[in-house]
Amino acid sequence: MSRYIEQIKKLVSLQEIDTELIQLKNRMEEAPRHLENLQNELNNMEEQKAHIEERVKLLTEQKKKLQSDIEQDSDKIKKSKNKLMMVSNTKEYHAMMREMDNLEKLNRFREEELSNLLEDLQTQQTKKEELNNEFVSLQDELATTQATLDSELQQIHERIQELEKDREKACADVPVPILSRYNFIKDRLHNPVIVSVRQSVCTGCFISIPPQSFVEIQKGEQILSCPNCQRLIYWEEHYSGNSK
């Protein structure tokens, strides 16, 4: 029984190393993705800023044009009113009145258009200001994340190197046939590879072990595999009772 327990302990220790290695390597893959997402978000903001700035430029030009047209036609109306007092011909009088009326209607339309345009321009300016603030904030977050990530990845790299050495030592302590079974399962299944059986249930797949297999596990004579998930299994009470 003691040899069996020692083998279980060695495999559990090996698995602890492998579990941490998996977590660290996953972190090395996932961490840059956050940075990439921030950069993509920043790029999208730059595009939005360019779009809004183009919109503001266009609205500003339209505003200047409308204001200029309103001012010019207002001057024409004033001049026409001054000339109107000097007109002696009824036909010419009515013609000037129609012209003034048309100019006034056109200016009212322009003023309404200008009012809507100014409202739109104010909205775009607000969006631009908010987006600029978000952009600066995101730039700061990106710079901070980059600095933190560089430091974290360096620490992870160093820790992985340590664990790889620890794994070599741990593997050397496990009999070759058992290590081969362990590595075979590890390459084909999600972690963990070796799990306990608790109350006749495999804690890897949570399916009951057949009665005869459970009897064999309780004997503690050899390391068996779960009939369902194929993970290496051991009876929890054997390990917990000898783990101190």
Side-chain angles (χ1 to χ4, degrees), residues 84 87-98:
L84 194 62
V87 173
S88 57
N89 185 303
T90 303
K91 184 177 180 182
E92 186 178 353
Y93 177 86
H94 287 300
M96 289 184 66
M97 287 294 293
R98 284 195 299 272

Side-chain angles (χ1 to χ4, degrees), residues 175-192:
V176 174
I178 297 175
L179 181 62
S180 296
R181 284 175 62 191
Y182 176 91
N183 287 330
F184 181 84
I185 297 169
K186 174 177 171 289
D187 293 339
R188 286 159 180 77
L189 293 176
H190 292 298
N191 200 56

Side-chain angles (χ1 to χ4, degrees), residues 24-244:
L24 291 175
K25 288 177 180 179
N26 285 342
R27 178 58 184 161
M28 286 194 76
E29 291 180 4
E30 292 170 0
R33 288 177 194 159
H34 177 56
L35 193 68
E36 184 179 346
N37 290 337
L38 287 176
Q39 186 60 59
N40 289 337
E41 191 175 346
L42 200 65
N43 293 340
N44 289 335
M45 278 191 181
E46 285 183 327
E47 292 180 5
Q48 292 178 48
K49 281 178 61 183
H51 177 74
I52 290 176
E53 287 170 359
E54 185 63 29
R55 177 68 177 162
V56 167
K57 181 181 178 182
L58 178 62
L59 289 172
T60 301
E61 291 174 354
Q62 291 177 342
K63 182 189 76 169
K64 290 180 180 178
K65 178 68 167 57
L66 278 172
Q67 289 175 330
S68 175
D69 290 345
I70 290 172
E71 185 178 350
Q72 288 178 11
D73 282 355
S74 293
D75 288 341
K76 288 180 182 178
I77 292 171
K78 288 179 182 178
K79 290 178 181 179
S80 294
K81 285 181 177 179
N82 292 333
K83 289 182 180 179
L84 194 62
M85 304 300 296
M86 302 169 60
V87 173
S88 57
N89 185 303
T90 303
K91 184 177 180 182
E92 186 178 353
Y93 177 86
H94 287 300
M96 289 184 66
M97 287 294 293
R98 284 195 299 272
E99 182 182 0
M100 288 169 56
D101 185 54
N102 289 335
L103 288 174
E104 287 174 346
K105 287 180 179 178
L106 182 58
N107 265 1
R108 284 196 294 272
F109 174 79
R110 285 172 176 156
E111 285 170 354
E112 183 178 349
E113 185 178 357
L114 179 61
S115 176
N116 292 333
L117 187 148
L118 290 173
E119 184 177 346
D120 189 8
L121 184 58
Q122 180 59 48
T123 299
Q124 297 301 321
Q125 292 283 17
T126 301
K127 286 182 179 179
K128 179 181 176 180
E129 184 176 349
E130 291 174 350
L131 194 60
N132 280 336
N133 292 335
E134 290 178 14
F135 186 81
V136 171
S137 178
L138 191 60
Q139 277 185 318
D140 291 341
E141 182 182 354
L142 183 64
T144 302
T145 301
Q146 179 68 67
T148 303
L149 182 63
D150 289 343
S151 175
E152 181 186 1
L153 291 180
Q154 178 60 33
Q155 292 176 9
I156 289 175
H157 179 69
E158 291 173 359
R159 179 57 180 159
I160 286 176
Q161 287 183 320
E162 293 176 2
L163 288 170
E164 293 288 3
K165 293 178 181 178
D166 291 342
R167 191 179 195 281
E168 287 182 12
K169 294 178 182 178
C171 287
D173 292 336
V174 178
V176 174
I178 297 175
L179 181 62
S180 296
R181 284 175 62 191
Y182 176 91
N183 287 330
F184 181 84
I185 297 169
K186 174 177 171 289
D187 293 339
R188 286 159 180 77
L189 293 176
H190 292 298
N191 200 56
V193 175
I194 180 168
V195 296
S196 65
V197 172
R198 184 179 305 155
Q199 296 180 350
S200 79
V201 174
C202 170
T203 57
C205 62
F206 300 101
I207 291 179
S208 295
I209 302 296
Q212 185 57 43
S213 296
F214 186 50
V215 169
E216 292 299 318
I217 293 170
Q218 289 176 303
K219 289 180 181 179
E221 295 176 351
Q222 59 180 323
I223 298 175
L224 302 175
S225 296
C226 171
N228 180 64
C229 67
Q230 306 306 312
R231 288 180 171 89
L232 300 179
I233 53 177
Y234 60 91
W235 192 26
E236 185 179 61
E237 292 191 19
H238 282 160
Y239 187 81
S240 60
N242 293 270
S243 59
K244 293 181 180 180

